[in-house]
Amino acid sequence: MSNREVRVVVIGAGQAGLSAAYHLGRFGLKPFEELVVLDRNARPGGAWQHRWDTLTMHDVHGIANLPGVAVPGADDGARANVAIPEYFTDYETRMALPVLRPVGGRSVRDLDGTRLAVETDAGTWSAGAVVNATGTWDRPFIPWYPGADLFGGRQLHTADYRGPAGFAGQHVVVVGGGHSAVQILAELSAYATTTWVTRRPPRWRTGEEFGPEQGRAAVALVAERVSAGLPPQSVVSVTGLHLRDQERAAAARGVYEREPMFAALTPDGVRWADGRTVRADAILWATGFRPDIAHLAPLRLRERSGGIRLDGTRAVRDPRVHLVGYGPSASTIGANRAGRAAAREIRDLLLAPVAG
């Protein structure tokens, strides 16, 4: 399979990619002939299929409906990495979305000023527009600290975490100030002793402090950075942290008594600048992810400030490229909206009737 021509290529079949594909189909693009979705995963489910096994539907922060099909009811105890991929699988089939997998993207480059070439390990597609919906899961971020190569225990990122049972009886240093760290600490502390480390003091909020208006304001702040060409920040960096009912027992045990960031790793633990040390069997880096956009590098979309500046979902440096699930649209609700917005903008770019 090589050198196929279509009108639009969607890269990624997570929430944002499926939403974009659905709306592009509604605007008349023929599946496979004019529209394809390229997904690197072997099966449907986006990043959800890779989440840890003990993450349940009770734990996730809400799953938005894909357009046209509501999320089916699921038991609170159902594994999120099973229930959500099942929903995505049914959706792809029901909507007859033109998903090809597994197809790994290598690069996107300009062909002739009009069309783009999407080069993959399964051949090349040329298209008038590309929707990039690759998310962040395949780019876990682990900061470097002195001694990282000396630590004799286990180091892993949340992307590699499968559940707490394998840490029974150990001491684990959990690094990171986001919701994943809070969730993992709650369940991990029932099996192991823990030390929580963050760069900044966590900012806790109560349920009364946060509603739809505050949510929109938080997303707007992230969008402001993206529209200025700055690297996107996580929404939680704006909203703060919230303890849910299932985490309150851990809070009562003192699990969320936070330590500042250590200065270095040692062969058997971590050391702070004042000389204090903590022994550790494992260090779990809950330090987030970066946008998975290296394949777009040939298009030179980045600003000097490090991010890709967007106007809506369009890359300012190349309006044929649309980014969804990036920055303010990284949430499931935001991804749906961005998919619809990208489809509308591509319709106007490629499908609008020519005056005359």
Side-chain angles (χ1 to χ4, degrees):
M1 181 187 299
S2 61
N3 300 321
R4 291 188 56 184
E5 290 192 7
V6 292
R7 303 192 79 173
V8 182
V9 171
V10 178
I11 307 176
Q15 189 101 15
L18 295 182
S19 173
Y22 167 84
H23 288 291
L24 286 164
R26 298 276 287 184
F27 291 144
L29 289 180
K30 297 176 182 178
F32 297 110
E33 295 180 29
E34 297 180 306
L35 169 68
V36 292
V37 182
L38 308 180
D39 187 33
R40 71 179 57 170
N41 289 294
R43 60 189 180 90
W48 287 104
Q49 63 191 283
H50 305 298
R51 305 272 181 175
W52 57 96
D53 294 340
T54 50
L55 184 72
T56 68
M57 294 301 289
H58 183 54
D59 296 321
V60 299
H61 291 278
I63 303 301
N65 295 330
L66 284 162
V69 180
V71 178
D75 184 88
D76 279 352
R79 282 170 45 178
N81 64 6
V82 172
I84 300 172
E86 286 177 349
Y87 171 50
F88 281 25
T89 299
D90 174 73
Y91 188 82
E92 288 184 16
T93 302
R94 186 180 303 197
M95 296 300 177
L97 297 181
V99 183
L100 299 174
R101 61 167 59 89
V103 178
R106 292 176 178 168
S107 67
V108 181
R109 59 181 178 82
D110 179 62
L111 274 177
D112 54 11
T114 301
R115 297 184 68 78
L116 298 163
V118 181
E119 299 174 341
T120 79
D121 56 13
T124 299
W125 279 262
S126 68
V130 168
V131 178
N132 191 78
T134 47
T136 63
W137 185 261
D138 290 309
R139 284 206 62 207
F141 172 70
I142 297 179
W144 182 86
Y145 280 86
D149 56 339
L150 302 176
F151 178 65
R154 181 183 178 193
Q155 294 190 61
L156 70 161
H157 190 273
T158 49
D160 308 306
Y161 176 72
R162 303 263 53 92
F167 299 92
Q170 299 183 10
H171 187 80
V172 184
V173 174
V174 177
V175 185
H179 286 302
S180 291
V182 171
Q183 290 178 358
I184 289 172
L185 279 162
E187 64 176 37
L188 193 59
S189 61
Y191 291 79
T193 57
T194 60
T195 298
W196 187 27
V197 177
T198 69
R199 283 194 305 141
R200 303 181 187 87
R203 182 169 63 84
W204 299 99
R205 60 177 174 79
T206 66
E208 292 74 22
E209 293 174 339
F210 197 82
E213 183 177 342
Q214 289 80 5
R216 286 190 291 270
V219 170
L221 288 174
V222 179
E224 186 177 326
R225 286 183 59 87
V226 171
S227 64
L230 296 168
Q233 287 181 323
S234 65
V235 174
V236 72
S237 67
V238 179
T239 64
L241 296 169
H242 177 65
L243 279 182
R244 298 166 304 162
D245 291 342
Q246 60 265 47
E247 292 148 0
R248 297 192 186 281
R253 297 195 302 269
V255 169
Y256 300 118
E257 294 178 6
R258 164 260 182 191
E259 293 282 351
M261 196 63 211
F262 49 75
L265 285 74
T266 66
D268 61 356
V270 298
R271 182 183 70 248
W272 280 267
D274 61 6
R276 289 185 304 120
T277 61
V278 163
R279 185 198 64 80
D281 299 290
I283 298 174
L284 198 160
W285 298 92
T287 42
F289 299 80
R290 297 293 184 265
D292 183 12
I293 52 176
H295 53 284
L296 301 178
L299 298 175
R300 302 181 181 274
L301 302 179
R302 287 186 185 270
E303 304 292 329
R304 289 187 177 181
S305 50
I308 296 178
R309 187 156 61 99
L310 300 183
D311 177 9
T313 65
R314 291 190 302 268
V316 170
R317 289 180 178 263
D318 193 330
R320 297 170 297 178
V321 180
H322 295 252
L323 278 76
V324 296
Y326 176 85
S329 63
S331 68
T332 59
I333 293 176
N336 275 351
R337 293 171 178 165
R340 182 174 64 247
R344 286 175 175 168
E345 291 172 351
I346 289 171
R347 175 196 61 188
D348 295 342
L349 175 70
L350 299 181
L351 308 179
V354 178

